[in-house]
Amino acid sequence: MSEYPTALQIAEGVRSGDLKAVDVVEQHLTTIADTDGEIHAFNHVMADEARERAAAVDATVAAGGDPGPMAGVPVALKDNMCTRGVPTTCSSKILAGWLPPYDATVVQRLTAAGAVFVGKTNLDEFAMGSSTENSAFGPTRNPLDTERVPGGSSGGSAAAVAAGFAPVSLGSDTGGSIRQPAALCGVVGVKPTYGRVSRLGLIAFGSSLDQIGPFTHTVADAALTLETICGHDPGDSTSIPEPAPEFSAVLDRGVDGLRIGRITDLPEGADPDVVARTDEAFAALESAGATIVDVEVPAFTYGLTAYYLIAPAEASSNLARFDGVRYGLRVDGADVEEMMRNTRTAGFGDEVKRRILLGTYALSAGYYDAYYGKALKIRRLMAEDFAAAYQQCDVLLTPSSPSVAFPFGSKTDDPFAMYLCDTYTIPANLTGDPAMSVPFGDGADDLPVGVQIIAPSLGESVMLQVAAELERSAP
Amino acid sequence: MSTDTNVTSETSAAPWAFEGYEMVVGLEVHVELATRTKLFSGSPNRFGDEPNTNIDPVTLGLPGALPVLNRQAVELAMKIGLALNCTVQPCTFARKNYFYPDMPKAYQISQYEDPLNVDGWLDLPDGTRIGIERAHMEEDAGKTVHAGASGRVHGAEHSLIDLNRAGVPLVEIVSRPDMRSPEQARQYVSELRAILLAVGASDAKMEEGSMRVDANVSVRRPGGELGTRCEIKNVNSIRSVGRAIEYEAKRQIVLIEGGEAVRQQTRHWDEGDGKTHTLRDKEDADDYRYFLEPDLVPLVPERSWVEAVRSSLPVLPSARRVALAEAAGSAPDDESIVTIVDRGQDAYVFAVVDAGGDVGRAVVHVQQAFAEFDAAPPVPAGDLAALTTLETGGQLTATQAKTVLAVLVDRGGGDPAAIAAEHGFEAMDTSELEAMVDEAIAAQPDAWEKFRAGEGKAMGALVGHIMKASKGQADGKLVSQILQQRKG
């Protein structure tokens, strides 16, 4: 486990008066100032706002009040979540100069719980990528090996936790963008059930897939953060009208009697070290009293293909609003159409353009049925196959990422090799089911390996219960 | 207003035909719903405010903003569907993708594959049934104003965008291609407007753009294969609906007769030159790349909600016309009946009848004297009833009654008998009239000879003479009776 204080420790200390939030925040700001020049986890550090907020939290405690369950906990936000008056860029040139006039729902909820935002973290532009190399502002380095990527697209948020810049950060996960970087940076990363966390104020990539979730050092901190950010939001029509359960209550229950599914027809391609650690995770759970059940999920293999039609299709529409008319970058032209073309040509990076083209093509008249329509069919099949598997087991266990953190530039010339990073994470986005990555030992070059737990819809509790067991038994 | 409210009867009910072709017309009518707020956000839905004041993150299409469906809009949309005899069904929203500066998200949220209302109909006053294919919900775009020069794109120095209208709820009502004449199209729009007003779904003002009509027009030999259609945009009044369709059908017929093919096009109606002009050809049409809107969930109106809305519907104009026509002994598409129901004055006519008035005279007076009033004319129903009684009892001529009614309108009511007395209106006795007829014949011998020879028109001069001599107090009907008798 990490050398950094957890969110629970900080909140407990601040609420009891043993710790001052201003001191906690100052320590974290100092760490950021000392090392983020190299790591580049942040696009924007909110030093002044953080100090002000921390002072307000301390004042509440001094006045005998309770600032909330995350009192004084420094939190880093992926830079695709809107923060009022604070630059929100999606690591894209196209949002240059834009200041959101409102806070995302998750920002409001964390603020209400006493958390203190320390900055906005780097990402692959518009969350499109698996290494954070697609950021218009330069890549983030993996704190565990600065020659390697932190994963992506939430690479900045994963690195911020791994580097001790904040005990909690939020990422967004459309095809694995929380779980894969969590695995590569050796931290816990959770993608909740689609609809558990409001997307209001999250700048959309693939609206039917996007879900916000936390990075933390510990499963308990993840549970704490989830208790704060989950729950119905009438401002998001896809938000599930269910209150957030008390996730923290299940962490000590162990796995005795639980059935852990092993997918026998899982797509190949994981490195041997990753496979070995995953097998050990099964063994650890079995020795803790769980039963390992072999299940088949035939559609799993087609997830990547379906995803790379559905996500770009939605993205091509979601990103159409960046036209230079109302906000962000504008590059002038002879008429309005040329202005739009010039703006988008200059404002978007290659990977974003590639996906806009893919998605536009997939939705076009004459191609819709063959591409987008077929992808939707796979999505339905995926849900059916998972539902059948859940008849036999409580959760599924797979690797989070096919490999440990890889060196910069090793996949940038081959988009498809990069897309394969998401092989194991994508199905849970297509089904909407909750899934998370939890560190389980080291692989090649002493770099961390993450294993993924996938649970049925709204099954975060059992998922966290299993994660806590893996955390306890990790080598 | 006047262009919108009345179906003028300049064309008869005779079927339209030109060079042996018939026209086939379907209309797509967009109406803005009279909701308090926009379709997907809390900004006010209000016409005429300062530009860009009724806006919010959703309206602006800001990153991270999400739509939330307005329940009142759904309810009004259901009212329209139910009033048009549609089936209200579970439905979905889709994105219609295209770039335009006043379309903030670069897509319009609309209903595509599964609209709220399907398969209804609307009956024209003459009983012709026009099918309704669908009536679906969607959001409006903003407005672009081209500054400088002519106000059109060409020659403009720059453009200004007002997003107050962006996100205003619309219902698009798509008819089946069941209309065969400009008159039917006008009647359809007029009737649809009356229904929208009756159910309170929209203020349906064509001049303010809260009701907009696009016409799909094609021509064919009667009973033959459907021809290639053109869609006509910018039809901004009921009068233009007829004119634009007429022009377009003739244009297509002339093309075909000249050996050319009609190209499938979107065309723009120019009110100024009375012609339609090419906007774009089919092959230049946008590919809208529709797909299900992932930010919204399917809308499944509960049965109880639909039934509650259905039972809240008022009696619709068609039923009211039948009721009034039955009472008055005329046809439901009689102009007076259509006009009175259009103005919402039918309840007033019934109140006059309930107060003992004569229904026929009441219909005539209400149609003629109350054109500038709405559902509640300023004359108490009892007073109008008394006036009609004086007329039917022979104490007042129609002309005198008109004068008395004008005074009643001025004064907001009163005793018609007293007003008649003030004006010295008394029924002339027949001998007095006979003398006046003799005098008129003596004064206008030419007219008399012509009248005797069978020239009906010549009677006008004689009657006019008598009216002048009696200062309008002579009963015109009686005068013409006497003249006919004299003629033998």
Side-chain angles (χ1 to χ4, degrees):
Chain A
M1 207 164 293
S2 99
E3 70 262 39
Y4 304 108
T6 67
L8 275 170
Q9 288 164 349
I10 292 169
E12 198 189 320
V14 169
R15 290 169 96 179
S16 68
D18 294 343
L19 279 177
K20 290 265 176 259
V22 288
D23 295 337
V24 171
V25 164
E26 208 56 51
Q27 283 156 18
H28 285 86
L29 289 174
T30 303
T31 309
I32 293 167
D34 288 349
T35 47
D36 197 46
E38 187 187 5
I39 303 297
H40 187 216
F42 288 99
N43 285 340
H44 179 83
V45 178
M46 297 163 65
D48 294 340
E49 295 94 329
R51 291 186 179 109
E52 208 173 296
R53 260 298 288 162
V57 168
D58 287 336
T60 303
V61 175
D66 181 1
M70 295 188 71
V73 174
V75 175
L77 284 171
K78 189 176 184 179
D79 201 15
N80 60 354
M81 298 174 205
C82 291
T83 38
R84 185 197 296 258
V86 176
T88 301
T89 68
C90 289
S91 288
S92 178
K93 286 184 278 187
I94 208 150
L95 273 168
W98 182 60
L99 298 178
Y102 64 105
D103 281 330
T105 298
V106 286
V107 172
Q108 292 177 20
R109 291 193 176 184
L110 284 165
T111 302
V116 177
F117 299 110
V118 291
K120 308 292 292 283
T121 62
N122 197 16
L123 61 147
D124 286 298
E125 184 178 4
F126 283 100
M128 297 175 186
S130 303
S131 67
T132 319
E133 290 169 291
N134 294 333
S135 167
F137 310 133
T140 295
R141 293 176 181 278
N142 191 321
L144 306 175
D145 178 347
T146 54
E147 298 305 310
R148 293 179 189 250
V149 303
S153 66
S154 311
S157 286
V161 170
F165 299 157
V168 175
S169 65
L170 292 190
S172 64
D173 189 315
T174 306
S177 282
I178 291 174
R179 291 159 286 161
Q180 184 256 13
L184 270 50
C185 290
V187 298
V188 174
V190 184
K191 180 202 88 77
T193 306
Y194 181 80
R196 261 291 197 212
V197 181
S198 171
R199 293 183 296 114
L200 182 55
L202 170 69
I203 301 179
F205 160 18
S207 310
S208 75
L209 305 156
D210 297 340
Q211 188 60 193
I212 293 173
F215 290 93
T216 55
H217 293 293
T218 66
V219 175
D221 277 0
L224 170 72
T225 310
L226 289 170
E227 284 167 358
T228 303
I229 63 173
C230 290
H232 184 232
D233 176 10
D236 173 359
S237 307
T238 63
S239 168
I240 297 171
E242 292 276 337
E246 222 184 297
F247 297 119
S248 306
V250 304
L251 304 181
D252 298 329
R253 287 188 188 166
V255 294
D256 195 19
L258 286 182
R259 299 164 302 164
I260 314 295
R262 187 201 330 250
I263 301 173
T264 52
D265 49 358
L266 196 69
E268 287 177 8
D271 289 347
D273 52 332
V274 171
V275 173
R277 292 294 92 74
T278 308
D279 287 344
E280 286 165 28
F282 277 112
L285 292 172
E286 194 167 25
S287 61
T291 312
I292 309 304
V293 182
D294 283 347
V295 296
E296 284 186 2
V297 185
F300 205 111
T301 304
Y302 304 107
L304 194 75
T305 319
Y307 174 86
Y308 274 97
L309 291 166
I310 292 169
E314 294 182 7
S316 71
S317 174
N318 284 330
L319 270 59
R321 68 185 61 193
F322 302 105
D323 57 9
V325 173
R326 294 166 309 283
Y327 46 76
L329 183 71
R330 175 186 289 187
V331 180
D332 278 331
D335 57 24
V336 72
E337 262 187 42
E338 195 184 300
M339 181 279 284
M340 289 179 177
R341 205 175 299 126
N342 291 346
T343 299
R344 293 169 66 80
T345 301
F348 290 136
D350 286 350
E351 183 60 28
V352 172
K353 285 175 188 159
R354 178 163 26 245
R355 299 209 195 181
I356 289 174
L357 288 172
L358 259 175
T360 302
Y361 188 79
L363 287 173
S364 293
Y367 300 99
Y368 180 99
D369 290 341
Y371 297 109
Y372 187 72
K374 202 164 266 183
L376 292 182
K377 279 181 194 156
I378 292 175
R379 193 171 189 178
R380 281 193 291 275
L381 277 180
M382 187 77 76
E384 287 169 19
D385 285 0
F386 270 89
Y390 294 138
Q391 295 292 313
Q392 304 167 60
C393 63
D394 298 300
V395 297
L396 297 159
L397 196 72
T398 75
S400 299
S401 157
S403 72
V404 297
F406 46 90
F408 285 106
S410 60
K411 296 181 200 273
T412 41
D413 292 337
D414 185 354
F416 191 67
M418 191 72 89
Y419 295 172
L420 285 171
C421 293
D422 298 331
T423 302
Y424 301 127
T425 47
I426 277 171
N429 296 92
L430 292 172
T431 60
D433 293 344
M436 68 184 288
S437 179
V438 59
F440 199 82
D442 290 339
D445 302 313
D446 296 328
L447 289 162
V449 170
V451 292
Q452 176 181 229
I453 310 159
I454 308 173
S457 180
L458 298 178
E460 282 87 356
S461 291
V462 66
M463 175 179 83
L464 289 161
Q465 192 180 333
V466 173
E469 186 61 44
L470 287 173
E471 186 176 56
R472 283 189 290 270
S473 55
Chain B
M1 259 327 254
S2 59
T3 49
D4 277 6
T5 46
N6 253 312
V7 174
T8 51
S9 52
E10 64 192 55
T11 33
S12 70
W16 187 93
F18 185 69
E19 306 275 349
Y21 290 82
E22 69 171 5
M23 62 166 71
V24 176
V25 177
L27 297 181
E28 296 173 9
V29 179
H30 286 85
V31 292
E32 287 182 357
L33 297 180
T35 52
R36 285 182 299 277
T37 56
K38 295 188 177 182
L39 186 53
F40 298 116
S41 77
S43 285
N45 167 18
R46 211 160 43 213
F47 180 80
D49 284 359
E50 275 292 297
N52 296 312
T53 52
N54 298 334
I55 55 170
D56 57 84
V58 172
T59 301
L60 286 168
L62 291 190
L66 290 175
V68 177
L69 183 60
N70 177 342
R71 187 178 168 93
Q72 191 194 12
V74 177
E75 193 153 313
L76 292 181
M78 278 203 278
K79 280 190 177 181
I80 293 174
L82 292 170
L84 294 174
N85 308 290
C86 290
T87 303
V88 174
Q89 60 170 21
C91 56
T92 55
F93 290 88
R95 290 187 186 178
K96 179 180 180 179
N97 296 285
Y98 63 98
F99 287 95
Y100 203 76
D102 62 21
M103 174 60 70
K105 302 182 298 298
Y107 57 81
Q108 178 194 29
I109 304 178
S110 178
Q111 297 197 295
Y112 184 54
E113 282 185 334
D114 307 295
L116 177 66
N117 306 299
V118 293
D119 291 332
W121 74 82
L122 178 153
D123 285 337
L124 300 183
D126 70 2
T128 308
R129 179 158 291 187
I130 308 299
I132 304 290
E133 189 180 313
R134 56 192 281 158
H136 67 257
M137 283 181 278
E138 61 187 27
E139 57 178 339
D140 210 342
K143 270 185 194 164
T144 303
V145 181
H146 302 291
S150 61
R152 297 197 55 166
V153 172
H154 298 290
E157 285 168 11
H158 60 276
S159 300
L160 299 169
I161 294 170
D162 176 8
L163 294 176
N164 281 356
R165 199 182 68 181
V168 161
L170 295 175
V171 165
E172 180 178 349
I173 301 145
V174 182
S175 86
R176 296 197 187 278
D178 289 348
M179 284 161 267
R180 295 290 176 272
S181 72
E183 174 61 11
Q184 282 189 338
R186 277 202 302 265
Q187 284 192 10
Y188 172 85
V189 175
S190 178
E191 184 64 11
L192 180 58
R193 183 169 182 277
I195 291 170
L196 294 168
L197 292 175
V199 303
S202 173
D203 63 6
K205 291 180 180 167
M206 289 186 81
E207 71 277 16
E208 285 183 7
S210 62
M211 179 169 179
R212 309 195 277 273
V213 179
D214 299 334
N216 285 305
V217 180
S218 66
V219 297
R220 65 173 177 187
R221 296 286 180 190
E225 295 267 304
L226 281 174
T228 303
R229 68 187 158 88
C230 287
E231 184 181 1
I232 316 300
K233 300 230 175 235
N234 192 43
V235 189
N236 295 328
S237 69
I238 290 184
R239 183 165 166 267
S240 324
V241 171
R243 288 179 70 207
I245 289 170
E246 175 111 33
Y247 173 85
E248 177 60 20
K250 285 183 175 165
R251 184 190 72 85
Q252 293 180 12
I253 292 164
V254 168
L255 271 181
I256 296 168
E257 286 295 293
E260 287 182 64
V262 175
R263 291 204 315 254
Q264 189 172 338
Q265 288 179 324
T266 302
R267 300 179 65 84
H268 180 95
W269 167 249
D270 186 326
E271 191 69 51
D273 67 7
K275 294 178 178 173
T276 63
H277 302 273
T278 306
L279 264 183
R280 58 182 173 269
D281 278 288
K282 189 200 174 196
E283 49 268 29
D284 300 330
D286 283 325
D287 176 357
Y288 293 122
R289 292 171 283 118
Y290 284 99
F291 70 104
L292 274 185
E293 165 58 283
D295 288 333
L296 292 168
V297 292
L299 168 66
V300 185
E302 314 100 69
R303 221 187 146 76
S304 58
W305 188 19
V306 178
E307 290 317 311
V309 171
R310 192 195 302 276
S311 58
S312 77
L313 290 180
V315 181
L316 295 178
S318 54
R320 284 160 47 199
R321 278 194 303 268
V322 168
L324 184 61
E326 261 175 25
S330 51
D333 62 340
D334 187 279
E335 197 193 330
S336 62
I337 302 296
V338 172
T339 306
I340 289 170
V341 169
D342 231 27
R343 294 191 208 135
Q345 293 167 339
D346 44 329
Y348 177 81
V349 171
F350 283 113
V352 172
V353 174
D354 286 348
D358 177 76
V359 66
R361 295 311 301 161
V363 163
V364 169
H365 288 312
V366 169
Q367 187 202 355
Q368 291 176 353
F370 293 162
E372 68 222 67
F373 304 116
D374 58 10
V379 178
D383 296 347
L384 183 57
L387 181 67
T388 63
T389 307
L390 291 175
E391 276 183 277
T392 51
Q395 286 111 302
L396 284 179
T397 67
T399 315
Q400 289 168 338
K402 244 188 201 172
T403 309
V404 173
L405 183 53
V407 177
L408 285 172
V409 169
D410 271 352
R411 296 186 188 166
D415 175 8
I419 296 167
E422 283 170 30
H423 282 70
F425 292 161
E426 288 164 46
M428 275 183 195
D429 65 32
T430 316
S431 61
E432 225 177 312
L433 268 185
E434 300 260 359
M436 292 182 109
V437 168
D438 290 339
E439 189 203 310
I441 291 173
Q444 309 235 8
D446 288 356
W448 173 243
E449 282 312 314
K450 282 184 189 165
F451 176 61
R452 274 179 50 163
E455 228 178 282
K457 277 189 213 159
M459 186 163 78
L462 296 165
V463 174
H465 187 94
I466 293 161
M467 284 299 173
K468 205 173 167 192
S470 70
K471 297 193 176 99
Q473 291 196 41
D475 183 339
K477 251 191 223 164
L478 211 51
V479 169
S480 56
Q481 263 175 33
I482 295 168
L483 281 167
Q484 293 290 356
Q485 282 166 7
R486 291 288 173 83
K487 194 174 96 176

